[in-house]
Amino acid sequence: MKLPLLPFDLHALEFALRAGLVTLMLFVAAVVLREHLRSLPARLAAALAVGVAAYALQSAPGFESWPPGWRAPLAVLSTGNAVVFWLFSRALFDDEFRWRPAHALAWGAMAVVAVVGCFAKPLVGLVIPLATLGFSLLAVAQSLSSWRADLVEKRRRLRVFIVGAGALYTLVNMGSRLLSGGGAGELARIADLLALSAIALVVAWHLVRPSGVQLFWPEAPQPVAPDTPLEEPLDAGLVAALEQLMTSERVYRQEGVSVAVLARRLGLPEYKLRRVINQGLGYRNFNAFLNRYRINEVKAALADPAQAPVPVLTLAMDAGFQSLGPFNRAFKAETGLTPTEFRRAQAG
């Protein structure tokens, strides 16, 4: 018969879990920054890892007895990690995501709340748990909304894990805090550390392994070279059939066109079509693949003197864009010019 753990054993186990988690997270942050410093998702991954390490220290028993000036930096990193998790999920799963000043303001607001909580905890009350839940739900919504357009298979699988395990952990953790008034027993703390360590190990493995380069991408990604090694030989006939759909039949103009729609037209499983577009043609996102054809059509129309009277919005809508804002952003990212500037340059 197994003897129950003694209190000393629990203390030792908790200390070992915290020390291991802090060490692992700082190691992941260092490796990711060293290998992928130019990538915004990688920098956010490193910040997220540092925040998890700060949480492991902040949630230790006796932390509340530290002087507020010592607690504040760790509280800021730990509390602000809710925003970092949201931004990391956006940057990792959306290649068009760009850093905005408003993102820094959101993190700053959480940091202010954390500092206030160190000196006057009753003033912030439920603000931190509720805000953390809110940013976790935003991360889930963002990840789910762009999931179907993601063409990177390894990233699609990691997305399911991060969204499922990460969000579930946050919801359960914050929910238990709300119900318990912020306190947690020794067994509850150990269970929390075990769950967080398991999630951290899986994510760390994906981030630091050599194939992590498929997850992280520079801020201005370009299509990969045509001779990028493929996991399996590229079917030239399939590529030709896909090109026929896009150039002759102009499927990209249709409303609601998706990987599933094209796969049905080609008689293929969706995963195989995603692999061809990603590994064979060099696109990480299905919308970017469609937009290349749409923008080429608009560029040809803007260069045509016979269509000079036609408004830019009409040309964009005819090519398959649903609104002017996304079209303008995609067009400038592709050409470096606004549509009006491009038309003027062609006319000159």
Side-chain angles (χ1 to χ4, degrees):
M1 177 183 295
K2 275 190 173 180
L3 294 175
L5 287 172
L6 298 174
F8 173 79
D9 296 321
L10 290 178
H11 294 325
L13 176 60
E14 183 175 351
F15 176 81
L17 287 172
R18 289 190 191 280
L21 185 57
V22 170
T23 302
L24 174 64
M25 291 295 93
L26 294 181
F27 171 76
V28 168
V31 172
V32 168
L33 287 178
R34 184 191 66 186
E35 300 295 331
H36 310 286
L37 183 60
R38 292 180 55 215
S39 171
L40 177 59
R43 296 197 295 270
L44 287 168
L48 184 65
V50 171
V52 172
Y55 169 77
L57 295 173
Q58 184 201 21
S59 59
F63 180 79
E64 295 295 330
S65 63
W66 291 19
W70 287 85
R71 285 188 284 130
L74 290 176
V76 165
L77 291 173
S78 176
T79 304
N81 226 29
V83 179
V84 176
F85 175 64
W86 167 56
L87 295 176
F88 169 69
S89 65
R90 292 193 61 187
L92 183 64
F93 302 135
D94 181 2
D95 294 316
E96 297 180 1
F97 173 78
R98 295 295 179 268
W99 178 266
R100 298 287 184 268
H103 300 147
L105 290 176
W107 186 90
M110 292 291 282
V112 169
V113 172
V115 172
V116 172
C118 288
F119 292 89
K121 190 172 183 179
L123 291 179
V124 297
L126 300 178
V127 173
I128 292 177
L130 291 177
T132 300
L133 285 173
F135 282 113
S136 178
L137 292 175
L138 283 175
V140 172
Q142 167 65 31
S143 300
L144 292 178
S145 67
S146 58
W147 181 70
R148 296 196 67 83
D150 194 353
L151 299 174
V152 183
E153 201 60 40
K154 287 183 174 61
R155 188 170 64 173
R156 286 170 61 86
R157 292 195 294 267
L158 182 60
R159 178 195 298 258
V160 172
F161 180 81
I162 288 180
V163 171
L168 179 62
Y169 168 81
T170 302
L171 292 172
V172 171
N173 181 270
M174 290 297 106
S176 64
R177 286 192 181 191
L178 290 172
L179 293 175
S180 65
E186 195 167 36
L187 288 176
R189 291 197 305 268
I190 290 176
D192 175 58
L193 287 169
L194 286 171
L196 188 56
S197 297
I199 295 171
L201 281 170
V202 174
V203 176
W205 169 250
H206 283 84
L207 297 186
V208 302
R209 64 191 301 197
S211 61
V213 70
Q214 296 184 351
L215 301 176
F216 299 132
W217 203 254
E219 293 186 25
Q222 300 295 328
V224 297
D227 59 350
T228 299
L230 301 179
E231 294 181 1
E232 62 182 47
L234 185 62
D235 186 339
L238 175 56
V239 174
L242 178 60
E243 185 69 11
Q244 172 76 14
L245 281 178
M246 302 305 291
T247 56
S248 299
E249 300 186 33
R250 297 183 177 183
V251 178
Y252 58 84
R253 287 181 164 191
Q254 297 178 7
E255 185 176 355
V257 62
S258 64
V259 173
V261 170
L262 288 186
R264 284 196 298 270
R265 294 286 297 270
L266 293 169
L268 293 173
E270 290 184 36
Y271 80 89
K272 190 167 185 178
L273 179 58
R274 283 196 299 268
R275 184 176 299 168
V276 169
I277 299 174
N278 173 229
Q279 298 179 10
L281 302 179
Y283 294 91
R284 293 164 60 84
N285 183 277
F286 184 68
N287 293 329
F289 168 70
L290 293 179
N291 287 348
R292 179 61 62 89
Y293 291 93
R294 292 166 174 167
I295 289 172
N296 284 341
E297 177 177 325
V298 175
K299 285 166 62 178
L302 292 173
D304 183 2
Q307 298 197 57
V310 181
V312 170
L313 177 60
T314 300
L315 297 177
M317 300 292 280
D318 288 346
F321 285 96
Q322 301 300 308
S323 60
L324 191 58
F327 162 69
N328 282 334
R329 289 191 294 272
F331 191 92
K332 189 162 187 178
E334 171 75 19
T335 65
L337 301 170
T338 66
T340 302
E341 290 169 343
F342 182 88
R343 172 177 266 173
R344 190 180 302 121
Q346 297 300 309

